[in-house]
Amino acid sequence: MADIDDIKDGKDFGLNTPQDKQGFFLKGLANYDWGIKNKMSRIFNPKTGRTVMLAFDHGYFQGPTKGLERIDLNILPLAEHADVLMCTRGVLRSMIPPTLTKPIVMRASGGNSILSELSNETIAVAMDDAVRMGVCAMAAQVYIGAEYEHKSITNVIRLIDEGMRVGIPTLAVTGVGKDMARDARYFGLATRIAAEIGSHYVKSYFIEEGFEKVVAGCPVPIVIAGGKKLPELDALDMAFRAVDQGAAGVDMGRNIFQSDAPVAMIKAVSKVVHELMPAKQAFELYNDLKSEG
């Protein structure tokens, strides 16, 4: 075991040398079987290598917050414009029409509300139920440095092991506790741990300094979380800088469904992610679409 007192921060991330994808369009996934790669090819657009995930799983610990009061009224009109939907199994079965063919990434962790310690979660979906629902990936939080770090990592390991038996990938979602620093050192550690235990891709946060190193140090794709609600131009700028620095897309919720014009916003985000449209140009598109109604 390495001496914890002699661990040195990484410096040579080879930022000018892309990771060899070994013949598959997503890094780190060439050696998986057909079923895993097929599902990842539904989550990520093979032409661009990126994705726009629409996250509306917040209700599993926050309840009916702004924009999520009515899934049928606020979220379903956005679904056709997203590449992927991220939700819980309860919402999928009760609110999402089975005729909708968008890939589903299912929130599989749960067990606590926003009023309690969120890192103390459990696995809330059995893998055979995920198979019945035809989901493309399962997602769980991993809280590095939190009180229940070990339990959260164990949850993700369980999803990976059970998912590999049936060909369903796992998304590890890096959670940030109240006392955790949002910096490159933390997210570099969290995303690398998630990849090292076998996660097929990782959801993390964009940071102002060192994000390229976080992406380079993670051997599987990273998508960024939208995080708290930002002004539309700022959210588009964050998305652009993230993909420009190597992110494989976004998993946005509040910055889309709490926007003044959610459909216009998700269309603008898609332009940024898949076409690398600059943020100011995407914001002009957003305003034009907003004016059209």
Side-chain angles (χ1 to χ4, degrees):
M1 187 68 179
D3 187 343
I4 194 169
D5 295 325
D6 194 40
I7 295 176
K8 296 179 175 63
D9 289 342
K11 297 184 181 300
D12 185 9
F13 287 87
L15 298 181
N16 295 321
T17 306
Q19 182 175 320
D20 183 1
K21 297 177 182 177
Q22 303 178 61
F24 191 58
F25 76 101
L26 294 170
K27 69 176 185 177
L29 299 172
N31 297 316
Y32 284 96
D33 64 326
W34 190 93
I36 293 287
K37 289 193 283 189
N38 175 263
K39 290 181 178 65
M40 293 296 286
S41 298
R42 294 180 61 198
I43 295 169
F44 293 89
N45 186 326
K47 294 180 179 178
T48 65
R50 293 186 286 272
T51 186
V52 175
M53 295 174 57
L54 176 62
F56 51 101
D57 55 327
H58 309 65
Y60 92 93
F61 70 102
Q62 293 181 351
T65 52
K66 182 179 179 181
L68 296 178
E69 301 93 339
R70 289 281 300 273
I71 299 296
D72 55 337
L73 300 180
N74 300 331
I75 299 300
L76 289 186
L78 305 174
E80 66 177 290
H81 307 293
D83 296 317
V84 181
L85 305 181
M86 182 167 175
C87 61
T88 61
R89 66 172 167 182
V91 162
L92 181 68
R93 281 192 166 115
S94 63
M95 303 302 300
I96 308 301
T99 51
L100 187 71
T101 57
K102 295 287 181 178
I104 302 297
V105 173
M106 180 154 292
R107 164 64 65 179
S109 55
N112 282 318
S113 76
I114 199 171
L115 303 177
S116 58
E117 174 53 55
L118 289 177
S119 67
N120 189 21
E121 290 190 319
T122 188
I123 295 300
V125 183
M127 193 58 65
D128 62 348
D129 203 22
V131 172
R132 277 192 291 272
M133 291 180 283
V135 306
C136 278
M138 299 283 272
Q141 297 283 146
V142 56
Y143 288 94
I144 304 303
E147 180 180 359
Y148 295 95
E149 172 189 275
H150 176 76
K151 186 175 182 182
S152 71
I153 294 175
T154 301
N155 288 340
V156 175
I157 292 172
R158 175 181 158 191
L159 281 185
I160 294 165
D161 287 340
E162 294 184 4
M164 288 297 291
R165 295 188 186 104
V166 295
I168 295 180
T170 297
L171 166 63
V173 181
T174 57
V176 182
K178 291 179 287 187
D179 300 324
M180 300 181 206
R182 291 174 178 254
D183 58 20
R185 187 171 187 179
Y186 171 75
F187 287 118
L189 174 65
T191 56
R192 183 58 174 263
I193 288 174
E196 294 268 358
I197 62 177
S199 301
H200 299 87
Y201 72 120
V202 183
K203 176 178 172 180
S204 189
Y205 287 86
F206 178 73
I207 49 175
E208 297 292 335
E209 296 183 11
F211 184 71
E212 283 182 303
K213 293 181 179 179
V214 173
V215 174
C218 182
V220 297
I222 288 178
V223 296
I224 67 158
K228 66 180 181 180
K229 176 66 175 72
L230 300 171
E232 280 74 8
L233 178 57
D234 292 345
L236 292 167
D237 182 62
M238 177 179 67
F240 177 83
R241 287 189 290 155
V243 296
D244 186 56
Q245 294 180 41
V250 302
D251 185 22
M252 280 193 172
R254 286 168 288 183
N255 278 300
I256 292 175
F257 61 70
Q258 289 183 0
S259 170
D260 290 338
V263 171
M265 187 60 181
I266 195 170
K267 288 182 176 180
V269 169
S270 185
K271 286 286 187 180
V272 169
V273 170
H274 290 299
E275 300 179 23
L276 292 178
M277 179 180 283
K280 289 184 178 179
Q281 186 178 345
F283 185 58
E284 292 174 1
L285 173 65
Y286 163 78
N287 283 322
D288 290 342
L289 294 171
K290 180 181 177 182
S291 298
E292 292 173 5

